């Protein structure tokens, strides 16, 4: 493809802004939890755009959505691209959506140029990349790759105790969950465009990140049961305060992550629910949700083991009961050298600067990597800010990402 793609950047930016307005929060807050009313409206909006672009849309039993552009040799495995449109509470407008609407724009550009792909090109909108509702990330791609099997999926509950089966049926997804799994080799290659969610590209003034590996995420849920009581009447000796016990665990996790000495080890306690949650009542129960990641899976596992050891130690010393549940501990993924080479050639051709880098955030590509060669294309985001309403990627950055994605898809599908 020698012609410069005829990007409709204004149109794409307007679509991103429109999608951001479909939210459970007041703008600029984007909240779109899977199977919520906002998620369903957002799906309808994006599906409408795909159909208008001439793509054939299909949905699977968990709501993964596939917008297909048939190639000249439809029997060949397609080239895939895509990301997610669900958003955590209080999120911004670019996480996931750039890969979906940017992927669609890349396809529209190629169609407008009269390009006819040899392999089909398929845009995928994955269900529930975010763990907000069911506590586990990448639900759709995890099931697609058979990392989460239907029996495990059926056991998932949200905070209100509503099961996956009930919620997906209410959202209009009814088929057999077994049919979500795709066979190895289903995609010839898969490329996901995404914002970096870190500061490096912007700081270094580089247009694009070519992602070589995706870090290994793990999540451990911890429930601490102590003894409640009157905050005035119960004296300090002999207390079994579940929150002070939790405080030790939170700090133990922080120091375990720091002690690896590796910049790539990160750990977070993002959920701390205190029961009964009254100022004059000693906390009797606390629920923590932890998130631990590293590009090195074995090093990540050592942090996890340190946390479990701290749980046993705190239970012992403080006389509280500590129960743990491993939600997930996924291995890292390596990206495909051939796609990286194609992205590199495409970036050069497009006159964009680039560097190779790792992704510390997880993405659906982490799971697609189990069934197809993957790579990711990162664009900068202002200040490295993500998962916040002020998340921002400039039109120039978005345009560069879509431009190079279009060239990459064209080369891979030729
Ligand atoms: C994805 O949203 C992540 O938390 O990395
Ligand atoms: Mn996210
Ligand atoms: Mn994302």
């Amino acid at each position: 493809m020698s012609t410069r793609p005829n990007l409709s950047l204004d149109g794409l930016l307007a679509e991103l802004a429109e999608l951001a307005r479909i939210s459970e929060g007041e703008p600029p807050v984007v909240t779109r939890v899977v199977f919520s009313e906002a998620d369903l409206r957002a799906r309808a909006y994006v599906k409408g755009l795909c159909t208008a672009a001439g793509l054939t849309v299909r949905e699977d039993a968990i709501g993964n959505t596939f917008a297909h552009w048939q190639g000249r040799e439809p029997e060949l495995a397609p080239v895939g691209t895509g990301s997610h449109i669900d958003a955590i509470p209080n999120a911004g407008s670019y996480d996931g959506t750039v890969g979906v609407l940017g992927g669609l724009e890349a396809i529209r550009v190629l169609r407008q140029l009269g390009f006819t792909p040899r392999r089909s090109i398929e845009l995928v909108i994955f269900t529930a990349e975010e763990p907000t509702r069911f506590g586990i990330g990448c639900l759709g791609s995890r099931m697609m790759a058979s990392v989460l099997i239907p029996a495990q999926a059926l056991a998932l509950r949200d905070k209100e105790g509503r099961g996956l089966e009930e919620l997906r049926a209410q959202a209009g997804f009814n088929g057999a969950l077994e049919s979500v799994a795709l066979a190895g080799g289903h995609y010839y290659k898969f490329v996901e465009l995404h914002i970096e969610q870190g500061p490096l590209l912007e700081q270094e003034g580089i247009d694009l990140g070519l992602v070589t590996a995706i870090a290994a995420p793990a999540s451990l849920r911890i429930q601490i049961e102590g003894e409640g009581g009157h905050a005035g009447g119960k004296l300090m000796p002999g207390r079994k305060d579940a929150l002070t016990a939790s405080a030790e665990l939170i700090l133990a996790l922080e120091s375990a992550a720091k002690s690896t000495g590796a910049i790539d080890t990160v750990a977070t306690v993002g959920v701390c629910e205190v029961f009964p949650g009254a100022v004059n009542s000693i906390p009797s129960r606390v629920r923590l949700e932890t998130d631990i990641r590293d590009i090195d899976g074995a090093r990540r596992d050592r942090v996890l083991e340190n946390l479990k050891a701290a749980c046993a130690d705190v239970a012992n010393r403080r006389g509280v009961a500590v129960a743990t549940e491993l939600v997930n501990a996924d291995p890292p993924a390596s990206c495909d050298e051939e796609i990286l080479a194609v992205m590199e050639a495409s970036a050069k051709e497009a006159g964009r600067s680039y560097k190779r880098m790792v992704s510390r955030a997880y993405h659906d590509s982490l799971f697609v990597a189990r069934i197809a060669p993957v790579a990711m294309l990162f664009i900068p985001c202002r200040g490295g800010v993500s998962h916040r309403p002020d998340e921002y990627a400039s039109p120039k950055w978005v345009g560069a990402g879509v431009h190079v994605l279009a060239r990459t898809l064209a080369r891979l599908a030729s």
Side-chain angles (χ1 to χ4, degrees):
M1 197 183 50
S2 54
T3 328
R4 188 180 172 83
N6 178 23
L7 264 181
S8 168
L9 192 52
D10 288 346
L12 170 59
L13 297 175
E15 287 168 359
L16 282 165
E18 181 67 29
L19 184 53
R21 279 191 287 276
I22 307 177
S23 168
E24 294 158 59
E26 280 301 309
V29 167
V30 179
T31 300
R32 269 193 309 267
V33 177
V34 66
F35 300 150
S36 65
E37 191 260 328
D39 177 46
L40 298 183
R41 273 197 295 136
R43 286 167 181 269
Y45 174 63
V46 174
K47 281 186 285 183
L49 294 177
C50 291
T51 308
L55 306 180
T56 309
V57 175
R58 139 183 120 78
E59 291 164 317
D60 71 11
I62 195 71
N64 290 319
T65 302
F66 306 82
H68 194 83
W69 177 14
Q70 186 161 307
R72 296 194 310 279
E73 297 181 31
E75 65 286 357
L76 296 179
V79 173
T81 189
S83 194
H84 62 99
I85 57 168
D86 65 319
I88 66 160
N90 208 40
S93 315
Y94 298 86
D95 176 5
T97 56
V98 161
V100 171
L101 294 177
L104 175 60
E105 178 59 16
I107 289 173
R108 284 188 298 221
V109 166
L110 295 175
R111 287 170 73 89
Q112 280 159 18
L113 287 173
F115 174 75
T116 57
R118 184 166 75 95
R119 290 178 184 274
S120 302
I121 299 182
E122 191 162 86
L123 177 72
V124 189
I125 301 130
F126 295 96
T127 283
E129 191 266 356
E130 302 291 6
T132 311
R133 180 150 221 164
F134 296 111
I136 188 157
C138 301
L139 178 61
S141 50
R142 207 178 266 277
M143 292 191 72
M144 197 182 271
S146 304
V147 174
L148 187 80
I149 59 169
Q152 294 167 316
L154 289 175
L156 294 174
R157 298 266 172 282
D158 71 4
K159 286 205 178 68
E160 280 79 49
R162 301 179 69 193
L164 176 76
E165 201 53 7
E166 174 195 343
L167 289 163
R168 78 173 174 121
Q170 193 176 300
F173 303 114
N174 294 300
L177 286 178
E178 284 72 18
S179 62
V180 173
L182 297 180
H186 180 86
Y187 289 107
Y188 167 63
K189 306 277 183 190
F190 188 93
V191 194
E192 181 173 358
L193 173 67
H194 206 282
I195 55 169
E196 180 196 346
Q197 303 183 289
L200 302 180
L201 293 173
E202 185 191 33
Q203 276 171 8
E204 297 169 31
I206 294 174
D207 297 327
L208 297 164
L210 313 188
V211 175
T212 55
I214 306 172
S219 176
L220 188 75
R221 264 188 210 134
I222 307 174
Q223 180 143 311
I224 301 103
E225 292 271 1
E227 223 169 70
H230 196 286
K234 195 159 168 67
L235 300 178
M236 296 310 282
R239 280 196 185 197
K240 292 181 181 174
D241 182 326
L243 186 57
T244 52
S246 306
E248 282 204 43
L249 293 179
I250 295 169
L251 293 176
L253 177 57
E254 184 185 55
S255 85
K258 285 183 171 168
S259 73
T260 71
I263 191 86
D264 292 324
T265 317
V266 288
T268 307
V269 180
V271 174
C272 176
E273 286 172 6
V274 181
F275 182 84
V279 66
N280 55 353
S281 179
I282 300 164
S284 62
R285 186 171 69 237
V286 170
R287 212 172 66 86
L288 302 178
E289 288 187 23
T290 67
D291 177 307
I292 309 163
R293 311 185 192 202
D294 202 314
I295 203 71
D296 179 331
R299 197 167 55 199
R300 189 276 320 272
D301 285 344
R302 286 197 289 279
V303 174
L304 200 51
E305 289 314 312
N306 284 345
L307 175 60
K308 288 185 193 162
C311 288
D313 172 52
V314 165
N316 205 19
R317 276 191 294 104
R318 287 182 168 265
V320 294
V322 182
T324 61
E325 180 197 350
L326 186 63
V327 181
N328 65 292
D330 304 298
S334 299
C335 293
D336 179 59
E337 196 47 54
E338 270 178 41
I339 308 179
L340 285 163
V342 169
M343 291 197 302
E344 197 162 331
S346 302
K348 276 188 187 143
E349 206 174 60
R352 307 294 182 174
S353 56
Y354 59 87
K355 69 176 238 171
R356 290 187 171 214
M357 63 192 305
V358 299
S359 170
R360 294 196 177 80
Y362 60 70
H363 301 282
D364 292 300
S365 290
L366 181 68
F367 295 95
V368 179
R370 310 279 193 110
I371 54 164
V374 302
M376 294 188 69
L377 188 57
F378 274 178
I379 58 168
C381 54
R382 187 178 59 199
V385 166
S386 183
H387 282 183
R388 274 174 29 187
D390 54 340
E391 179 179 84
Y392 176 75
S394 75
K396 175 175 166 275
W397 294 335
V398 173
V402 176
H403 185 175
V404 172
L405 178 66
R407 289 181 179 275
T408 300
L409 294 176
R411 280 171 180 257
L412 292 173
S414 290

